[in-house]
Amino acid sequence: MSEITLFYLKFLLLAGVYTLLGLLIRALVRDLPMPGKPASEPIPQAQDAPGWWLAVLQGQERLEGRSLRLQEELLLGRAPECQVQVNDPFASARHARLVPRGEGVWLEDLGSTNGTYLGAEVVKGGVMLPEGGRFSIGDVTFELVKRA
């Protein structure tokens, strides 16, 4: 091989290494805790209101045993802009999204590092949660409840 070919091959290899390093740093920075306002307590709501409710079954003492009514799209994760802040080391900044849709609620993993689990199965992309559907983010377990 000529010297020019070797030079270009070395250059391509170096570019590939820097690209991988950049992607790694981007993924790490995206999952860092975001500075900002402290997590606030969820707004108390009438527990008998009809509709879809998200119940926290275990894993997060501050929210355990509480329910949050799903009226529109709901973000779950560690970031301050998330409506449900999951304080778990295995949760990503923007981990998952819940969207009420007719007879169920759409659960979408937002490309989290450690995944969202429906039972023992990893949620790939999204899945429709039926009434009573349970899912986990890290050590925090949620249940979907429908109240009439």
Side-chain angles (χ1 to χ4, degrees), residues 6 13 23 35 37 41 44 50 64 93-94 101 105-106 123 141:
L6 287 175
L13 178 64
L23 290 172
K37 63 179 182 179
E41 289 293 318
E64 201 167 296
R94 293 181 43 138
R101 290 187 182 167
V105 174
W106 183 256
V123 174
T141 304

Side-chain angles (χ1 to χ4, degrees), residues 11-129:
F11 179 75
L12 285 174
L13 178 64
L14 189 60
V17 168
Y18 279 116
T19 301
L20 286 174
L21 184 61
L23 290 172
L24 176 66
I25 290 171
R26 180 176 164 230
L28 290 173
V29 167
R30 188 178 66 167
D31 283 344
L32 285 175
M34 302 274 212
K37 63 179 182 179
S40 59
E41 289 293 318
I43 299 169
Q45 299 171 339
Q47 294 295 314
D48 57 351
W52 291 107
W53 288 77
L54 179 66
V56 181
L57 297 180
Q58 68 180 20
Q60 192 164 347
E61 290 179 25
R62 185 175 67 81
L63 296 177
E64 201 167 296
R66 298 184 89 177
S67 297
L68 181 66
R69 187 166 180 215
L70 295 174
Q71 295 176 324
E72 55 190 41
E73 180 179 299
L74 193 68
L75 280 176
L76 295 97
R78 288 192 339 243
E81 69 264 14
C82 293
Q83 288 88 357
V84 177
Q85 290 187 338
V86 181
N87 296 321
D88 187 279
F90 294 107
S92 295
R94 293 181 43 138
H95 196 100
R97 174 188 357 246
L98 289 171
V99 182
R101 290 187 182 167
E103 293 302 313
V105 174
W106 183 256
L107 170 64
E108 179 183 6
D109 183 86
L110 299 176
S112 64
T113 306
N114 295 307
T116 303
Y117 288 84
L118 182 59
E121 308 237 349
V122 177
V123 174
K124 301 284 186 191
V127 65
M128 187 64 84
L129 283 175

